């Protein structure tokens, strides 16, 4: 279908589809390798634009990596950009406490934009469930802890700095 029009193919989590071929130990390995070879052939035939998104470029099959024309890296934003994200991602209709320390959040936690968004969503849910319905520093910190726990990282008392008292309740 993509060959019939000027479609751009987008593969999210592309490392799953374009993973390294493996040594054949089981029949599943043989079919997996055949699928990867077939996909490689089809991608090479396709004359349009393909965009592959991944957090695991190292998991790509070398044959695919050689055929990639450009790689655009999106590193973790620097503190000044993170501060701007913290300030701009909070919904206008959500009341925010004066104790929200954007500078601390930006400098203390090296988060991506999506991690900041997810931490704010979690903190916002906590806020609207609370009696005062205000987004506070404690709720944002709980959102950060929740977001980092998804990737197996547990924050220590020192990670929370002067705000550790909120997390000891």
């Amino acid at each position: 279908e993509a060959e019939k029009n000027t479609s751009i193919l987008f593969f999210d989590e592309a490392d799953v589809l374009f993973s390294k071929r493996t040594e054949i130990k089981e029949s599943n390995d043989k079919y997996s390798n055949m699928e990867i070879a077939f996909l490689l052939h089809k991608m090479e035939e396709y004359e349009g634009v393909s965009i592959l998104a991944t957090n695991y470029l190292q998991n790509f099959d070398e044959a695919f990596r050689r055929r990639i024309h450009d790689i655009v890296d999106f590193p973790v934003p620097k503190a000044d950009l993170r501060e701007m994200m913290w300030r701009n991602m909070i919904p206008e209709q959500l009341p925010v406490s004066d104790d929200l320390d954007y500078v601390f959040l930006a400098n203390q936690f090296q988060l991506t934009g999506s991690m900041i968004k997810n931490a704010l969503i979690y903190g916002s849910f906590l806020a609207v469930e609370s009696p005062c319905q205000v987004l506070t520093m404690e709720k944002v910190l709980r959102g950060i802890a929740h977001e980092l726990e998804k990737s197996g990282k547990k924050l220590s008392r020192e990670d929370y700095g002067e705000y550790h008292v909120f997390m000891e309740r």
Side-chain angles (χ1 to χ4, degrees), residues 5-79:
N5 54 49
T6 57
S7 296
I8 295 175
L9 298 179
F10 178 71
F11 297 91
D12 196 11
E13 305 296 342
D15 53 283
V16 176
L17 281 174
F18 301 93
S19 62
K20 295 177 182 175
R21 288 173 274 194
T22 59
E23 182 181 328
I24 298 175
K25 295 180 183 173
E26 299 176 12
S27 61
N28 290 346
D29 297 333
K30 176 183 175 184
Y31 292 111
S32 176
N33 287 347
M34 287 172 55
E35 289 170 354
I36 293 168
F38 176 77
L39 188 54
L40 176 59
H41 176 70
K42 284 298 186 186
M43 290 295 293
E44 204 159 50
E45 278 182 357
Y46 185 63
E47 293 184 14
V49 174
S50 297
I51 298 173
L52 292 76
T54 184
N55 291 324
Y56 303 102
L57 187 61
Q58 71 275 10
N59 292 350
F60 269 68
D61 187 272
E62 281 302 313
F64 281 117
R65 290 181 72 171
R66 283 193 303 272
R67 289 165 173 83
I68 295 174
H69 294 287
D70 296 297
I71 296 176
V72 180
D73 184 33
F74 294 95
V76 174
K78 297 203 181 314

